[in-house]
Amino acid sequence: MEQVVVVDHPLVQHKLSLCRRVETQTWQFRGLVEEITALMLYEAIRDIATVEADLVTPVGPGKGTQISAKEPVFVAVLRAGLGMVPGALRLFPYARAGHIGLYRDHDTHIPVQYYNNLPPDIEDVDCYLLEPMLATGGSAVHALTLLKEAGAKKIKIMSLIAAPEGIKAITDSHPDVTIYLASIDEKLNDKAYIVPGLGDAGDRLFGTA
Ligand code: URA
C-alpha cells in the first residue's frame, strides 16, 4: 500500500471545506472534525483483521464477518488531536486512548514534550495517531517515536490536512507508517501554518482565538 492515502470521498471533502471557512463557528467546527475523523477511519481500517463467523438470523443459520483484531488504540496529540477522538470512539466505543502533549516553541517551531500517557500492552494492537494538522511534521515524528518506544508496531497516522513538508518529515523518519489525509495543501507560511489550511486547529476547536 502507498504510504500516503488521501481520502478524497466527496463527503469528506465537503466537510473539510466547511472546516476551512473562516465563518464556521466553533461548535460547527467541532462536529465537522468528529465526522471527518469517523469517515477517514472507515477508510483507514480497510485492512483490519477479520474472521468469518457463524451466526443465526431470524430466518436461519448463516455466515458473517467479524473484526478479529484487538481493540485499537487512538492516540491524540494535544491539544488539537482531542477533536478527533470522539469520531474515532464513535466507531470503536471499546477502544483505549492515549495522549501525547507537545507544543511548538514559538521561535524554533521545534516540538517540546510536556505529557505522555499511553495505554500499556500495545505491541500487537493497531495504533492510530490523531494529529489534525501535519505542518512541519515535527510533533508527529516525535509522537510516532514515543509510540514505538512504548512498543507499538502497527501505527497509522490520521490528519485532516498536511503540508508537503510534513509528509516528507514522516516518510523520511517513519517509512513504516501509513498516513491518512483529507488534503495535501500547498505550503507552510513563515509561521509554519499550513496554506490555505484552516488556521489553528486547536483554537478553532476550543474557541481560544
Ligand atoms: N497547526 C495548526 O493548527 N494549523 C496549522 O496550519 C499548522 C499547525
Side-chain angles (χ1 to χ4, degrees):
M1 180 194 274
E2 291 288 325
Q3 198 186 341
V4 180
V5 179
V6 178
V7 182
D8 60 358
H9 191 284
L11 195 51
V12 170
Q13 296 305 315
H14 175 80
K15 288 177 187 293
L16 179 66
S17 299
L18 291 173
C19 278
R20 290 184 189 275
R21 287 179 180 273
V22 70
E23 67 268 25
T24 298
Q25 301 294 304
T26 298
W27 65 272
Q28 297 167 314
F29 189 90
R30 224 174 257 156
L32 288 163
V33 170
E34 178 175 341
E35 290 171 341
I36 293 169
T37 304
L39 292 166
M40 289 180 65
L41 185 58
Y42 175 79
E43 186 58 39
I45 63 160
R46 187 171 282 281
D47 61 349
I48 199 166
T50 59
V51 286
E52 192 180 74
D54 294 322
L55 51 80
V56 181
T57 78
V59 182
K63 299 257 184 226
T65 299
Q66 207 165 288
I67 291 178
S68 58
K70 287 191 178 169
E71 75 273 17
V73 162
F74 298 109
V75 177
V77 179
L78 301 179
R79 97 192 129 131
L82 287 176
M84 299 178 76
V85 175
L89 292 182
R90 185 132 56 101
L91 295 196
F92 289 95
Y94 46 86
R96 297 179 292 162
H99 299 89
I100 292 174
L102 301 166
Y103 68 86
R104 282 197 302 178
D105 183 278
H106 261 294
D107 300 321
T108 63
H109 302 149
I110 289 172
V112 182
Q113 181 186 323
Y114 63 90
Y115 192 68
N116 179 12
N117 191 348
L118 298 173
D121 307 323
I122 56 175
E123 289 77 7
D124 55 352
V125 170
D126 295 319
C127 296
Y128 297 86
L129 187 71
L130 307 178
E131 165 71 300
M133 305 298 279
L134 210 50
T136 61
S139 300
V141 166
H142 188 94
L144 290 169
T145 302
L146 292 177
L147 260 171
K148 288 181 180 174
E149 283 171 3
K153 291 188 178 58
K154 299 191 284 178
I155 313 174
K156 293 177 179 176
I157 175 166
M158 290 182 33
S159 296
L160 270 51
I161 303 178
E165 293 89 333
I167 295 173
K168 181 169 183 335
I170 306 253
T171 50
D172 285 353
S173 315
H174 297 284
D176 55 320
V177 173
T178 307
I179 308 168
Y180 287 83
L181 302 166
S183 176
I184 302 173
D185 276 14
E186 199 184 320
K187 60 179 181 186
L188 295 177
N189 68 14
D190 58 358
K191 293 197 170 74
Y193 277 91
I194 299 175
V195 180
L198 49 71
D200 186 300
D203 283 343
R204 298 210 59 189
L205 276 165
F206 300 111
T208 43

